[in-house]
Amino acid sequence: MADDGLRLGGIPSGLAVVLNCEDKEGSGKSHLVSYCEGFGDQSVERTLEHIFGLPYRTVNQLNFPVDTSAVRLIIKNEFYEHHPELRTVVSRNDDGVSTSYEDSQLRIVELDKCSICGDIRIVKKPSLVESHALFSSARANACVWKGKWMYEVTLETSGVQQIGWATVVCPFTDHKGVGDADDSYAYDGKRVRKWNKKAETYGQSWVVGDVIGCCIDLDSDEISFYRNGISLGVAFSGIRKMVPGLGYHPAISLSQGERCELNFGGVPFKYPVKEFLPIQAPPPLEALASSLLGCFSRLLQLQCVEKAETKTVAKLGRLKRFAPFEELWRPVSEGICEELLSVLNYESGSGEYIGRGPFFSFLMEVFRVHPPLDYSTLDRVLDSILGFDVSKVLFEHVFEALSSGCKTAPLVLTECPYSGSYSYLAMACHLLRREELMTLWWMSSDFEFLFEGLLSRKGPNKQDLQYLIPSVWWPGSCEDLSNENSMALTTTALSEAVNMIEEKQRDLCRLVMQFIPPVAPLQLPGSVFRTFLQNILLKNRGAEHNMPPAGVSNNSVLVSLFTIILHFLSEGFAERDIYGWIKGSGVDSGAHVGFLHRGGQQAFPAGLFLKNDPHRVDIPRLGGSYDHLSKCNPVNGEEEETIRWEEGCMDDGETRVTHLSGQKPCCCSSYDAELSNFSKYPVRYLAKGSRGSGYSIPDRSAHVTAECSASNLSDEMADKPSTSDHSDPELAFRPMQLLRILPSTSAMSSASLKEEELLDAMLLLYHLGLAPHFKQVSSFMSRQSQSISLLEESDRQLRDSIYGDQVKRLKEARNVYREEVMDCVRHCAWYRLYLFSCWKQRGMYATCMWIVQLLLVLSKVDTIFIYVPEFYLETLVDCFHVLRKSDPPFVPATIFIKQGLASFVTFVVTHFNDPRISSAELRDLLLQSISVLVQEREFLAAFECNEAARQRMPKALLSAFDNRSWIPVTNILLRLCKGSGFGISNRGESSSSSLLFQQLLREACISEGELFSAFLNRLFNTLSWAMTEFSVSIREMQENYKLMEIQQRKCSVIFDLSCNLARVLEFCTQEIPQAFVSGMDTNLRRLSELIVFILTHLIRAIDPEVLDQSLRRPGQSSEKLNSGMILAPLAGIILNLLDVSRETDNNDIVAIFASMDCADTILYGFQYLLEYNWVRYLYSLLVHFSVWR
């Protein structure tokens, strides 16, 4: 019995042959015609039946060549005859839904403008919306009252949004929205709540790129929500029945700046839920388009059959089953395209649905989701379809689908390394290598919006990270040791996936840089990318604020652009054509040597600072606002100047390290064996004080030997992510087809992109996009450290406990702490592989080198320095400390500053009190950097070796001690004076103290008498204020009879500050005693009164037990904080001045005390000092010092 139709595996009869014949003109042509029938072979007719899904022997014998016309006849006759439903417009049974269309012809379900409360604006038609009011709400123009329905919401932001269903009678106000009334139901993933008049915990936290499915089952009276196709469970049950025309409307409420895209069915759902229908019915053409594209797929399957790698006999047998593919390809593919596009041209309103649905799915099926990607077959399809002008409508929507796919595609561990947005980016890059498609994309009104989408990356929430990193391990943990290797494998796989996505994003940007738009005057390559970059920066002004303005980009777009530009500037462009137009004014070392690593003479155009470009108009400058500076310090032609300098010119000669010197900077030098071990076994390394901040990503190689000035940096950096590691040449970057190479003498626009401009944009992108991420990393690391301490303490208590109830409570607490630690470890690991791979650290280090030298050079030119944007300085400091705190370290701390960043020390010590920097916050930032750095021995040594620090820092610190900056100055002075003072053992302190700076401070105090006198006066006042605040806080706690955590923290902080101030005062009495005992006795008398004031508050006004309790924070022991911390410097002050009084006949502190009217108080205080348990205090200091060491 013959089959009803042809199958790939069946062998019905038939034979097709190619007849070579001569036409009248003598040219040889091949025509495919039916010849005969025989067992095991297929004729042309049978093959066409298979392609079009027709029953056996439906197509009659063809007596003419198979061409496009013949194929169209088969489609119009046999195909439609056996698929009559494709020609008949059958409306969906919409019983249960009612819609009031704004345009009766388009019949689009969208937000009802009359229902909007607040300010909801349409960003992109039809339903990408954003709130511009504090709280805005709206309903759709459709309601449902029977059946099962759904719609999807794609999150463009992840803040407070309430999405769900509401009836028309539910009131919307400026503070009440969806879920805040009866018959109104909402889900809010920001607060992880469901709302129906009251809030209850429900669902998961959501992130940007999540697709939320909102489902209502009116047969079962239930509402449920889905996140990326995963059910969050039934949210509401027993909802009230409705009547026709008065049902539940899709509804949303958005807080200010929140943005989402609503899909009621206008395009296919990303995650359709079985049995639930879209509120807007698909267009009638959808079934026909899907069927024709299915025919196209079966045509392409014939090619796969011919290419099948099977045994020779089986292969020959299979080749005989169907007619030759190459002979059928052109007429059948063109016939299918003509039919599809002619119908699409007739049904113009169906283009978006077909383009983003069946047609896009067909292209992705042809291309394949995972490598090896089928570029050749996709090119065949593109050549066929692009032969018709109307096809451009479809490709416009294909770009929309690709952009949307990049926004919403999650990383899946089992699909790594080709996961997430990789396949969409690979498809986009391949399409855009065709100049006609690049031009089509660029000319679309949504070009920049779609470009942003292609650069987007979807991040994970807590539950996603549990799937991505299922096994967690950290140094010192009690977890299974197998978790260590498991975590290493998963993070390596995820890191590779991130690298693959970033590489495709770079390919995309290279193509855009190569593109020369068809406009007059002729543009240089890079002009389109330059315009896009400027508009992104303009659009995202204020994105760093806690409440960013509406319309800012997805943060992942800013991060992607930063990463792309960093790679170009650090690793090189690789493409000589791009480099030839974009290279800056410095040394030309070739396209493969990154701008940041070239060394030698450097250059920077002053116009980048001095011109008031639109995307810079509101950016604050070091000297103030641009408007203020342009009035007070107008630019007089300097905007055309180019600042030039030699790399390392601002460093000391003997310590200078450059890319051209024998000793290379850290970003381009070979790491020592110790660091190599860290890279091989990074999880075993735990930096001091990090408490196991999470897992690090093993790089492919720990050694980097890059001769930046003379060789190919990209080739020598083995761990740089590159497609060169893949054998498939299709994965490598390929330039755009038909790229025009323009001579530089052509008449064209001067608006070209340069490397210096890319660097400028990259710094702003870091400030806007990356700095917030690194703050989150710091927060997770801090939380992890605290949770590990609590986990270890609970383990200790469990070992010591014997009572059942107590053990149960401890186990419950331990589980909570363990989950918190695991969550922090996962987040830290994610941020490392996402933001902080080794090549990025090298690029960031080189960026710090470049920027700090630029700032030092510009600081010599006042008229330009004051115009430097503040974000240059902020990014420099933040990037420096991010690298410094990396765990495992980028390089050992001993060489971190020494080999490349000595200029950073020079800059911070010479500018933390620079009056040209108008922002006190910026000056504080520099001062705090010094305070942090001098706490570590390795970095303190860098300050001691720095000439600028030795000459300027002591005097500058004394002058900077004021009402604003006294805390960081005190911390710096305390660190420099470390090792001297009463109750401090000198044993082991010599290696951590700075005798050099102690001597320099002494000399500065003596030589600058007036400055030191003002400093001493402020020191007295500040210590007196601190002790008064401490005393008031203690009294408040005594009166309340309970310890509040906030008050306790305040007391502890103020007490620490008071102790530090007292130690600084003690140092002054030890090193500069003549300031107290010589001349007028004003200083000595003030000092004596201050001592009595402190002793009085500590001894008589405060209960000792309350004092000790108020000083200790949760988890701290009495050895770390006690009253001896401030009593010791007071004792030291008295002893220092007694020693001096015995040696001279000047002012006597004993006489000062004797002249006071509080003899009893003084005697009681001295008695308290003599009887204090100094042995216990010294022991606690010894323990603390041992831990610090």
Side-chain angles (χ1 to χ4, degrees), residues 282-295:
L285 182 59
E286 187 269 340
L288 174 59
S290 297
S291 183
L292 288 174
L293 291 170
C295 298

Side-chain angles (χ1 to χ4, degrees), residues 139 142-144 148-151 162-167 170 172 178-179 181-187 195-196 213-218 222-225 236 239 247-252 264 276-277 279:
R139 283 180 290 269
C143 67
V144 294
K148 298 180 181 180
W149 306 92
M150 71 173 290
Y151 69 99
Q162 295 171 208
I163 59 178
W165 305 85
T167 61
C170 294
F172 290 158
V178 185
D182 292 326
D183 300 328
S184 178
Y185 306 91
Y187 164 51
W195 299 81
N196 177 230
C214 305
C215 299
I216 186 167
D217 182 352
L218 292 165
E222 293 178 343
I223 291 176
S224 56
F225 297 92
F236 306 99
I239 63 175
Y248 291 99
H249 294 254
I252 59 170
F264 302 109
F276 285 84
L277 298 176
I279 297 174

Side-chain angles (χ1 to χ4, degrees), residues 457-515:
R457 282 184 275 180
K458 186 180 181 300
N461 71 353
K462 179 179 179 179
Q463 287 76 20
D464 297 333
L465 280 178
Q466 290 175 353
Y467 287 108
L468 290 175
I469 311 176
S471 299
V472 172
W473 187 90
W474 63 94
S477 72
C478 300
E479 305 297 316
D480 191 328
L481 288 177
S482 63
N483 287 7
E484 178 182 359
N485 292 329
S486 177
M487 188 175 180
L489 290 173
T490 54
T491 51
T492 300
L494 292 172
S495 179
E496 284 295 318
V498 170
N499 288 340
M500 297 298 293
I501 291 171
E502 290 176 348
E503 187 169 356
K504 283 302 172 186
Q505 289 179 336
R506 292 195 295 271
D507 287 351
L508 175 66
C509 289
R510 285 194 193 100
L511 289 169
V512 175
M513 287 180 176
Q514 285 182 327
F515 176 60

Side-chain angles (χ1 to χ4, degrees), residues 909-926:
V909 299
T910 54
H911 291 82
F912 72 83
N913 61 346
D914 188 341
R916 295 176 299 175
I917 300 178
S918 63
S919 171
E921 288 82 5
L922 282 184
R923 297 197 300 271
D924 287 348
L925 187 65
L926 298 178

Side-chain angles (χ1 to χ4, degrees), residues 960-1023:
F961 190 94
D962 54 22
N963 292 335
R964 181 183 183 89
S965 304
W966 65 271
I967 294 178
V969 171
T970 300
N971 291 334
I972 296 170
L973 292 174
L974 185 68
R975 178 63 183 89
L976 299 181
C977 302
K978 190 177 181 68
S980 63
F982 178 79
I984 298 179
S985 172
N986 288 325
R987 199 172 100 195
E989 289 282 345
S990 59
S991 61
S992 61
S993 60
S994 178
L995 299 178
L996 172 62
F997 275 110
Q998 289 178 19
Q999 179 183 349
L1000 293 173
L1001 278 170
R1002 183 189 312 115
E1003 293 173 356
C1005 292
I1006 295 173
S1007 62
E1008 301 289 339
E1010 186 175 344
L1011 177 62
F1012 177 66
S1013 178
F1015 164 76
L1016 204 57
N1017 181 58
R1018 291 193 293 267
L1019 181 58
F1020 285 146
N1021 293 337
T1022 306
L1023 181 53

